[in-house]
Structure formats: C-alpha cells, structure tokens
Amino acid sequence: MRERADPPDRDARAIPRYGRKVTSRDVLAGRIPVTRVTPALPDERWRPKAFEGEVVPFRATVFREGHDQVGAMLVLTSPSGTVRHVRMSPLTAGTDRWEAWVLLDERGVWHWHVTGFDDEIATWRHDAALKIDAGVDAELMYEIGARLLDRAAAEKARPIAARRKLTALAAALRDDAASVDDRRPLVDAPALDVFTAWPLAKLTSDSPEREILVERRRAGVGSWYEFFPRSEGARRLKDGSWKSGTFRTAMKRLDGVAAMGFDVVYLPPIHPIGVTNRKGRNNTLDPGPNDPGSPWAIGGAAGGHDAVHPDLGTLADFRAFVRRAAALGMEVALDLALQASPDHPWVAEHPEWFTQLPDGTIRFAENPPKKYQDIYPVNFDDDPEGIFVEVLRIVRHWMKQGVKIFRVDNPHTKPLMFWERLIAAVNAEDPDVVFLAEAFTRPAMMQALAMAGFQQSYSYFTWRNTKEELEEFLTSVSQETADFMRPNLFVNTPDILTEYLQFGGPAAFTVRATIAATAAPTWGVYAGFELFESVARPGAEEAIDNEKYEYKPRDFAAAEAEGRSLALYLGILNAIRAAHPALAQLRNIHFHSSEDDAVVVYSKHLPGRFTPDGRDDTVIVVANVDPHSVRETTVHLDLAAIGLTPGIRFEVEDLVTGDRWDWGDANYVRLDAFTRPAHILHVVRGSDD
C-alpha cells in the first residue's frame, strides 16, 4: 500500500483522473463497480469516527466483468484540505475485497471515497508473462506494453524522472536486437513500480463520498482511575462522627495516582447530597447520623448539579484540584448523573421534570431488584426543551471549571435524541469534550449511544472471564463495532465486584488488569482494586461496606510497604502502554492459539510505517485466566499476523521481568497463577537462523 500526498493547496477535484468516468443517470453501479465501503455504521444517519493517531482500515469491494485486472485507490481529504491517494491491496483471493490501513493524524472531519479502475499495467503484465513464457505472441505483448508506457509517459502530471524511465523502458521492450528471452525480465522491471502509486487506467468509478470524524486522542486512549474525594483524608472523630475529606486533602492522593501512570482521574458526583430517604451503610434504609449518603442522590439545601458539597470545599478548591491534576499530567473526569434527590431544587422548581404517581408521590429510581428511594429519575417528556437548556448550562458550567471529560451515569435510561443533541451542542463549542457512557444494557442501546455521539462506552468486559468469552468479546469490540464504539475496559466499579474477583484472589486481579491494559487503548480502575478488595455484600455483586454509602479511607502506603498492593504492577502496565504504540490501537488485536482452554493468547502489532521510530512494534500477551492453577501448554503463533515470516526464529522480552527467550511458531509456556499468571512479551528481533 503506497501513498501519495498531493499539495494541500490543490483542489481535490483538479487532480488528474486515471481514466474516463462512464456513468448513466439510471444506473447506480459504476463501470468498475465499487461496493461495501467501510468504515461505515449500521445506520447511515451517523458517521463513523476515529481518534487522532488511530490506524484505521478502509475496505471496499471492487470488481469487473471478464478477466482483466482491476485496482482500488483510497482518496482522502484531511480537514485542512490535504489530499492523499493510498493504493489499496487485495485481501483474500476470490473475494474482490481491497484494503488500506491509514493513520489519521488530524482532528476534524475527513472526506474520502474509493476509486475502482481497470489496471491496464497489471493486466498486461499478467497476460505477457503467460504468453511470452508459452512462446505465444511475444513481440505483440512487448508492443502492447510499450504503447501503455508511451501513454503513461505522456501524462504531464507524472514526475519527469518517472516519465523518462518509462520512455526508456518502452524503447527496451521494442528493441528487437535483444532476444525475446533477454527482454522477458522487463515485464517485471522496477520502473513499473511507479504504477503502484499512480496507476494507468482507461475506466474508473468512484464510490459515494463518505465522512469520518477524527476526535482528540484522549477520546480513544487513556488510563482511568476512580476515587471518592470525600474518602481521601477522611477521619473518624472521637465522638464517632466523621470529618470528610476535601478537595485539598484529595489532592494528596493525586501523586500516588500519577505514580501509577494513570492520566484520567474520575470523580463520582461532588454535589450536595439529599437528606430525605438517605441511604445508610450497605444501601440500608435506616441511616445513622454520621452516614454521608450516596453521592448519586444529588441535590440539597446547598444546591444542585452546579454546586459542590460544602464538606468538600468550594468551587475554587475544585479548580485547584483540577490544576494540580493537570500539573501531574492528568485530566479530571466528572460524573454527570441526570437525577435528583427529593431535596434537589429541581423538585420544587420543576415538578414537571419528574413522574407523579397517582398517590401524589414522585416515582423513585429502580433497577430491580435494586431500589433507590433516595433518587428521583428525570422524566424527559413533559418539558424536554427546559431540561435540555438546564443540562447544557450545567455542562458548560463545569467546562468553565476546567472539566473536559464527563462520565455519564446510566445514559440508557434517558432518550437517545437528548444525548445526540446535547453532545453535538457541546462538541460544536469545544470538540475536546469527551463523554463516556456508563450503559450496561442491551446491545442496541449501547451501540446507538455510541453512534449518536458518546466518545467512549462501558462494556461487557467486566463479565467476560473465560478464554472463549474474552476472544469473542475482544474480537467484537475491535472489529465489529470499532467504527463507532470505543470500549473503556473498567476492571471494577463501586457497583460491580464480579465473582471472578471475589473468589480469584490476587491472581484474578493481576490477570484482569493485564488484559484490560493491553487489549484496548482505554481502561479503568476503581480505587481499592490495587488492594485486592474482594469481599462482597452477601447475595450481591458489589463490595461489602460500599463506598457509595460511607467514608472509606485507605492506607495505600502501608499496603505497598507490606506487599499487599498491586500498585507497582499497575504502574508497570501503564509504563508498558506508554512505551508501545501498538497498545494504543483498538483494531489491531489478533488471537493466536494455545493447547489449553484457560490460556488466552493475543498480539497487538503495529507496522513501522505507523510508529514514531519507524520500527515494527509487536506485543504478545499470554494469560492464564484460571486464577487457581498452574498451566503448562504450547502456544502456536500466526507469525504472518505479526509481520514475521512463518518458520522464523525471533527473540521476545518479558516486559515485566526482563527475561528473554528464543521463540518461533510453537512455544512452551508455564503460567503459575500464584506467581506469574501472564506474560507481556515484546518481539525484539527476528532472524532466519
């Protein structure tokens, strides 16, 4: 796949065509049909998207009648007007599918189409090779080739040096002083390579013009860490009451988070919390006088969604927190939860925003069997315009405080059209703003939210634990939905402590972090994960003594000193991510095989033409997903998928331990869940020895 970039000031419409376009008003198919172009969405009302620096596969089906050869050219116009021509390569023989991988390096809307053409040079080379080798019409084939080269040399848009080489090659083909056999190598002459970037064709057809939106890099690449500011620095007083942590005390935790290599700090709601129906410890209905309530029960006497809880400090304190995070190389993500406690100002000022029941009460939130008596869901049907204006005001308010990332709570319980309108309005003002959808729901809604505008999405990763489940899930998010849905692989949340983590011990935490950090370019951790917090509330898939309902200060330093922390390993994972550009891509995961149904093997490969140093970057992950056993097996690698010749020997380095091994197509591995449950290997070099 060779690429030609035209000068940025050239109008794409003025670029010389490869041939003449044959169309009919009544016929949709072109003379050289071009169909099934991607990237594309299941619903064409929305456009596909990528992030800055993402390597995206463009594909099309291109064919024609008969046996003449065809080719395909991807034509892209960047947001700044630079036009690129990228020659597409054929995929599996007989499918007529063509492909080109392109690094999209500029933010904004790209325009693109695929041109199908009759590849006259390829047809001649194919026919000439057959006939000349068979002793049939050799001089005729040489003359046909010479005339094609004459025509190409006459195209003034071609570089002069290339035109001269083509003229010389045409003369050599006609040189009957040389024997037929002596001229045979000319059919494969290097001078013909110029037709890869600039083919010769009489007929062309274009696919319809398409768009792809390229958003900022953080929309697709990031390491998230979630913690509750009120727990950082919180302490119990002698009378049994609690003194809440503040933004100022929470700042002290930022250094530890930055040391682990995280670049996004996500805060649950920081607003005033209601008193009516306040929940006590472990979601009980009888709170004690010192229970702080759930941060998601937003609103009270101190204000609503545009206020901060007085215990945390002031807006100025919050801005200082944001500045400190930025100084450490991190962004702050804020929770956007469109719901209200019974004490929220909205309830009195806008009762039409809630659902009134026949008995005069307001319906509270439910997610059976869970009940949230302390939360009123918003009804978007009676005053949609008023609600939109208010929410847009709130988002703008926090943008002014320095927030560019919003984690949206339960967006699937609100109208899709609301989110489409809101995100479009915000991104029109500031395209840097990123919205993450926390929508653990049906695929149709999850995918529609992503198509309608959400830059990131929670996913089913949390519940995909076996080899078979992981291969199916990661293949789906990296191939089937990658044109519009970017997964954020959170390993745990305040609401979710899976059985795998409850009963898997430290090995389960290590394996889940390894896969989340390497299988997709965005992943996340909720505080306490590094301390192996694994005790669940009886009968529930969430932690006992849940931080949603109480203060939970943690002594991270003591845990690290005593060897009870995964913090060092999380830091290693994020350092590996930062050092290896292959891990910053979503669409390049490839699964290999092992002879053990508990050992998953995958690679992330990025060719050198896309890396900063021009060298291939390949990371191979081998993980034992059974946290209770030692597994010994043979790993079988598809070397072609990682840019190596089958049968070659090469060296790999374990990026965690520094160990090096000589590997090939088949390799023995031993993964002990209790000491080393996973390998993260970098392909150092290959050799033919």
Side-chain angles (χ1 to χ4, degrees):
M1 292 170 287
R2 298 191 181 179
E3 181 174 336
R4 184 177 79 246
D6 295 291
D9 58 344
R10 262 180 92 175
D11 190 322
R13 294 170 295 181
I15 296 173
R17 302 204 50 85
Y18 308 125
R20 60 190 178 89
K21 188 173 182 180
V22 180
T23 60
S24 168
R25 289 182 300 175
D26 301 321
V27 177
L28 296 178
R31 180 62 182 83
I32 307 295
V34 181
T35 65
R36 295 179 57 208
V37 295
T38 61
L41 269 58
D43 191 315
E44 293 189 356
R45 284 177 292 181
W46 297 292
R47 60 190 170 198
K49 57 191 175 187
F51 57 85
E52 186 179 18
E54 185 171 11
V55 179
V56 176
F58 291 80
R59 299 187 177 102
T61 297
V62 181
F63 58 95
R64 68 167 298 175
E65 80 292 346
H67 302 289
D68 286 357
Q69 305 293 303
V70 298
M73 185 73 72
L74 171 66
V75 183
L76 303 108
T77 303
S78 73
S80 62
T82 299
V83 179
R84 298 190 204 174
H85 286 69
V86 185
R87 184 68 179 264
M88 304 178 79
S89 299
L91 289 171
T92 306
T95 65
D96 294 314
R97 291 292 286 169
W98 298 76
E99 175 185 76
W101 289 74
V102 180
L103 189 151
L104 300 179
D105 54 1
E106 185 180 334
R107 291 157 58 184
V109 177
W110 292 64
H111 294 82
W112 63 278
H113 68 269
V114 173
T115 297
F117 56 89
D118 64 322
D119 192 337
E120 295 185 89
I121 294 296
T123 298
W124 168 72
R125 293 178 72 175
H126 173 268
D127 294 349
L130 290 176
K131 290 190 175 185
I132 295 171
D133 292 347
V136 178
D137 296 333
E139 292 296 343
L140 176 61
M141 297 312 300
Y142 287 141
E143 179 59 27
I144 291 174
R147 293 189 180 193
L148 290 175
L149 298 180
D150 289 342
R151 203 175 92 219
E155 294 178 346
K156 298 187 183 306
R158 292 183 184 273
I160 293 177
R163 294 165 61 193
R164 288 173 177 168
K165 289 181 180 180
L166 295 177
T167 299
L169 181 56
L173 287 170
R174 291 187 172 107
D175 184 9
D176 55 11
S179 69
V180 168
D181 290 341
D182 287 343
R183 282 178 283 167
R184 173 63 178 82
L186 299 178
V187 176
D188 301 309
L192 297 173
D193 291 344
V194 299
F195 293 107
T196 300
W198 200 303
L200 185 69
K202 288 187 298 185
L203 305 172
T204 66
S205 299
D206 293 340
S207 72
E209 193 79 5
R210 300 295 181 97
E211 294 182 352
I212 182 168
L213 173 65
V214 176
E215 298 171 303
R216 73 167 173 131
R217 186 170 178 81
R218 181 66 67 231
V221 183
S223 300
W224 289 51
Y225 187 90
E226 174 184 2
F227 73 86
F228 286 61
R230 73 184 186 188
S231 290
E232 300 302 325
R235 55 191 176 88
R236 188 185 289 274
L237 304 179
K238 292 182 179 180
D239 62 1
S241 63
W242 281 88
K243 180 173 178 57
S244 172
T246 67
F247 291 127
R248 296 288 177 176
T249 60
M251 275 190 212
K252 299 176 182 178
R253 179 60 185 148
L254 292 177
D255 291 274
V257 176
M260 290 186 286
F262 291 97
D263 45 39
V264 176
V265 176
Y266 157 48
L267 305 182
I270 57 174
H271 316 299
I273 298 172
V275 175
T276 303
N277 296 334
R278 173 173 289 190
K279 293 296 185 74
R281 295 186 63 196
N282 290 309
N283 200 26
T284 61
L285 290 172
D286 53 345
N290 300 315
D291 288 331
S294 168
W296 281 271
I298 298 171
H305 284 73
D306 55 358
V308 298
H309 197 299
D311 288 353
L312 295 175
T314 65
L315 271 178
D317 293 327
F318 175 75
R319 289 192 295 269
F321 181 92
V322 173
R323 289 194 299 271
R324 177 57 183 162
L328 293 170
M330 298 183 292
E331 293 191 57
V332 173
L334 195 61
D335 201 279
L336 179 62
L338 300 187
Q339 56 206 35
S341 86
D343 304 323
H344 196 294
W346 287 350
V347 177
E349 297 170 5
H350 296 282
E352 70 277 10
W353 291 1
F354 304 94
T355 299
Q356 307 287 330
L357 297 175
D359 62 2
T361 63
I362 296 177
R363 187 180 69 185
F364 60 77
E366 293 184 83
N367 184 17
K370 296 180 180 180
K371 294 186 177 183
Y372 303 95
Q373 295 90 339
D374 54 340
I375 294 173
Y376 289 163
V378 174
N379 184 326
F380 286 76
D381 293 331
D382 292 336
D383 183 16
E385 187 63 24
I387 294 172
F388 171 80
V389 170
E390 172 67 356
V391 176
L392 181 59
R393 181 191 70 82
I394 290 167
V395 172
R396 285 170 171 165
H397 167 74
W398 291 109
M399 289 166 61
K400 291 178 182 178
Q401 315 310 315
V403 176
K404 292 293 184 74
I405 304 177
F406 294 90
R407 178 267 195 191
V408 178
D409 190 70
N410 289 326
H412 56 288
T413 62
K414 289 82 178 173
L416 179 66
M417 63 182 297
F418 168 82
W419 294 119
E420 180 180 19
R421 184 183 177 192
L422 178 73
I423 295 173
V426 172
N427 285 154
E429 297 176 11
D430 188 346
D432 283 352
V433 177
V434 171
F435 291 87
L436 166 63
E438 185 252 1
F440 297 115
T441 185
R442 302 182 308 280
M445 174 58 90
M446 291 176 66
Q447 294 178 18
L449 288 166
M451 286 190 285
F454 276 92
Q455 284 82 7
Q456 294 181 20
S457 305
Y458 277 32
S459 69
Y460 301 132
F461 171 74
T462 319
W463 296 278
R464 301 297 185 261
N465 301 305
T466 68
K467 176 181 177 178
E468 181 180 9
E469 290 170 345
L470 287 166
E471 289 181 348
E472 185 279 331
F473 167 76
L474 293 171
T475 297
S476 174
V477 297
S478 64
Q479 296 180 20
E480 297 171 14
T481 59
D483 288 342
F484 58 92
M485 184 175 177
R486 303 188 190 106
N488 189 325
L489 303 188
F490 258 85
V491 290
N492 67 326
T493 78
D495 291 311
I496 301 171
L497 180 66
T498 61
E499 289 187 4
Y500 188 84
L501 295 180
Q502 290 177 34
F503 304 109
F509 286 76
T510 303
V511 169
R512 294 302 289 175
T514 300
I515 295 174
T518 59
T522 302
W523 76 302
V525 170
Y526 159 55
F529 180 87
E530 66 268 49
L531 303 185
F532 309 112
E533 292 181 359
S534 59
V535 180
R537 183 165 59 86
E541 197 180 49
E542 63 181 36
I544 192 75
D545 302 329
N546 197 299
E547 193 171 4
K548 287 174 61 175
Y549 308 106
E550 61 183 271
Y551 299 104
K552 199 162 189 173
R554 300 174 174 92
D555 194 337
F556 295 101
E560 289 185 46
E562 297 168 8
R564 297 183 291 104
S565 173
L566 199 62
L568 177 62
Y569 186 70
L570 299 184
I572 292 172
L573 289 176
N574 281 326
I576 291 171
R577 286 166 51 86
H580 290 277
L583 298 179
Q585 299 293 326
L586 173 63
R587 307 167 195 250
N588 63 337
I589 194 168
H590 183 87
F591 284 93
H592 305 262
S593 65
S594 77
E595 297 175 7
D596 191 306
D597 60 6
V599 175
V600 63
V601 187
Y602 58 86
S603 62
K604 302 294 284 290
H605 173 70
L606 192 62
R609 67 183 183 277
F610 300 129
T611 64
D613 62 6
R615 294 183 293 179
D616 287 6
D617 184 41
T618 304
V619 176
I620 302 171
V621 178
V622 187
N624 173 10
V625 297
D626 178 0
H628 306 290
S629 70
V630 177
R631 297 284 176 151
E632 297 183 58
T633 189
T634 299
V635 167
H636 299 276
L637 298 178
D638 176 4
L639 296 190
I642 57 176
L644 297 177
T645 304
I648 201 174
R649 302 298 299 177
F650 56 96
E651 189 175 28
V652 296
E653 177 186 8
D654 190 308
L655 294 172
V656 178
T657 66
D659 293 333
R660 292 194 176 208
W661 298 283
D662 181 69
W663 270 33
D665 299 88
N667 311 279
Y668 165 81
V669 296
R670 183 180 189 274
L671 297 172
D672 186 337
F674 306 102
T675 58
R676 189 185 302 177
H679 288 311
I680 306 175
L681 307 172
H682 176 230
V683 175
V684 179
R685 61 180 177 84
S687 70
D688 294 312
D689 298 336

